[in-house]
Amino acid sequence: MTDEKSESPVNSFMETYVPRDEVFEGMRKEALDVERLKGVTRNLIPFISTCITKCGEFKQLSDVQKIYKRKHVDEMKPENGITTKSSLPMDMSKIQNAVEEYFKFNLPRIISGNGCCIRDEELGRQALAGINPLSIKRLEAFPPVSDLDPSTCGAHKSAIREEHIITHLDGMSVQQAMAEKKLFILDYHDAYLPFLNAINAYEDRKAYATRTILYLTQLGTLKPVVIELSLSQGEPSKLVLTPPLDGTSYWLWQIAKAHVCSNDAGVHQLVHHWLRTHACIEPFIIAAHRQLSVMHPVFKLLRPHLKHTLQINALAREALINEGGIIESNFSPGKYSTEIISAAYREWWRFDMEALPADLIRRGMAEPDPTQPHGLRLFIEDYPYANDGLLIWFALENLVRTCVNYYYRDGIMVRSDGELQAWYSEVINVGHVDHANASWWPTLSTPNDLTSILTTLIWVASVQHSAVNFGQYPLGGYVPMRSPYMKKLLPKEEDPGYKEFLEGPEGYLLSCLPNLFETTKFLAVVNILSQHSPDEEYIGQRKDLSDWAGDLKSYRHSISFPWI
């Protein structure tokens, strides 16, 4: 039972209400329960260890590596199945090793070839092919500018100057590099700055608002050439770091990159994952259930892409995005996470910009070009999210257009479909009421309008969600390279800890990261989120065609995914 006015549980011991046809069941529910149990058991030893030591901080890199498995259990079986008295001690040792390995995490892909720090080229690669390929933008103004209201946030001019980066541009000036579309930026300045004073008031949570400019090398790879670390008004507000020249600057550069990755992790989880692919999609799903018959062709087309999202969102509100939940406990924005989400929704989110081609153009990563296969020219050729995404986008668009044209021959049929118009009206005027009067909402008057709206919705709910969700553990499960939050700012010469930094810079960097228990708790969560359900239904497949009995000719004709 729920409170009818708020759709929230009557008390905290009851689960959030989810419509019956949206709840997890069967294999999906069983798989989630298994992963939850694994997460709990893997945290037992780190929790006990942290309680005993009263700290649990990593002292050296090998402490971090002990969290992960070294070999599979199958490799520990006795050879030829022979057991003798002399082999019993060894067998017991192998059993002990197998038990210890059970409590450890699988090696994430990101750990390969990396040590305590993320390499410069890996930072650039992660911006294009990592768990968050949605933040990278082309640099279109130098120095970078802020969109924050100066009357509330103060005047925040960037401290980056041409002399900081000129030596890293292969002989070009900044203006030449920008004209040749060689400079890109990861800009988290505006997302974090309004909240920094509050975040940094906590003893164990420290953050900057970061900007990182990256240069597109002759090899087609990105490398960071400058990092700006900003604090709020009233503090020494800006630090500018460039690639290191000596041992001390090397480690300061590594800590700066760790802060960049921490910013990235927060924006990825709060904005690109939760806001864009979960929260903003929910009104479309609720309105579909309320306004569209289950026999309506649009409902049947959308159903496999939207199924279970309401259940996932309910679980997220109970344990992830709630007050004191996992997001607040494990990511740099802390208790200000919801405020960052709200600000991004209010100031930045637009449904018309959620289409992949529009998003790439908006971020300056592509421009219209009719000579290119998909009508777009990418400014970075090796951009896997865009390269693969455009193939899927246009295959989806072809599927949707075929289905739409099968049922709607002209605009009159679209405009006269009462269920369809009621669905879209409720999405805008009820589900997204804060943006109800925005001029950017696409109209729904023609088959092309409907094709565009449905393609965008399917893209965000399925493909884009997959891009930012399922790689969270393999591409983000190594805290030294992608810490969800930091505990210290960069050391200064006048700081008491500066001597500690000089004497043991690697240990100092590790002390900036979450401790053992905090790390394993974070890993358990992202590991669960990264799992594919055993009954997953992938694009290009249709497990149950029973409700498409009269539409099979149209549906089968429209499937032309290049990888099938």
Side-chain angles (χ1 to χ4, degrees), residues 28-43:
R28 185 177 290 265
K29 185 177 185 303
E30 292 172 4
L32 178 62
D33 291 340
V34 168
E35 291 303 322
R36 279 174 165 173
L37 179 60
K38 284 183 182 179
V40 171
T41 56
R42 283 171 172 167
N43 275 285

Side-chain angles (χ1 to χ4, degrees), residues 279-296:
C280 288
I281 294 301
E282 189 170 280
F284 291 89
I285 303 170
I286 294 174
H289 281 288
R290 285 168 47 83
Q291 302 295 345
L292 299 177
S293 163
V294 294
M295 297 184 293
H296 196 287

Side-chain angles (χ1 to χ4, degrees), residues 188-189 191-211 228-232 235-237 239 255-256 258-264 266 331-334 336 340 483-490 512:
Y188 301 116
H189 178 275
Y192 277 85
L193 193 76
F195 310 99
L196 280 185
N197 282 341
I199 293 171
N200 289 334
Y202 287 90
E203 185 177 348
D204 63 344
R205 195 72 60 95
K206 303 300 177 185
Y208 294 99
T210 68
R211 288 188 177 114
E228 181 182 60
L229 306 175
S230 296
L231 294 172
S232 295
E235 303 182 50
S237 58
L239 293 171
I255 298 173
H259 275 281
V260 172
C261 292
S262 174
N263 272 192
D264 184 85
F331 288 89
S332 55
Y336 301 95
I340 288 179
S483 179
Y485 65 91
M486 300 287 284
K487 292 185 173 184
K488 297 179 181 178
L489 299 174
L490 259 69
C512 296

Side-chain angles (χ1 to χ4, degrees), residues 119-194:
R119 304 189 312 273
D120 286 3
E121 58 269 29
E122 182 64 19
L123 179 65
R125 184 62 180 167
Q126 288 293 314
L128 300 173
I131 190 55
N132 179 21
L134 298 172
S135 287
I136 186 74
K137 300 186 295 185
R138 185 162 54 86
L139 184 67
E140 300 186 69
F142 186 86
V145 295
S146 170
D147 292 326
L148 294 174
D149 183 352
S151 65
T152 57
C153 297
H156 279 275
K157 295 182 179 179
S158 174
I160 300 174
R161 298 292 179 263
E162 183 159 1
E163 55 264 28
H164 290 129
I165 63 175
I166 189 70
T167 58
H168 302 285
L169 304 183
D170 292 333
M172 290 185 287
S173 68
V174 170
Q175 292 304 318
Q176 287 175 319
M178 290 174 63
E180 295 192 20
K181 301 176 176 60
K182 295 285 189 180
L183 291 177
F184 297 81
I185 187 169
L186 291 172
D187 192 344
Y188 301 116
H189 178 275
D190 290 4
Y192 277 85
L193 193 76

Side-chain angles (χ1 to χ4, degrees), residues 319-337:
L320 293 176
I321 206 71
N322 58 309
E323 181 182 4
I326 290 168
I327 298 298
E328 288 194 2
S329 301
N330 291 278
F331 288 89
S332 55
K335 64 183 292 185
Y336 301 95
S337 298

Side-chain angles (χ1 to χ4, degrees), residues 376-394:
L376 285 179
R377 182 170 75 90
L378 296 173
F379 295 128
I380 299 178
E381 292 184 9
D382 186 15
Y383 184 9
Y385 170 77
N387 300 134
D388 297 342
L390 287 170
L391 292 173
I392 302 173
W393 169 270
F394 286 101

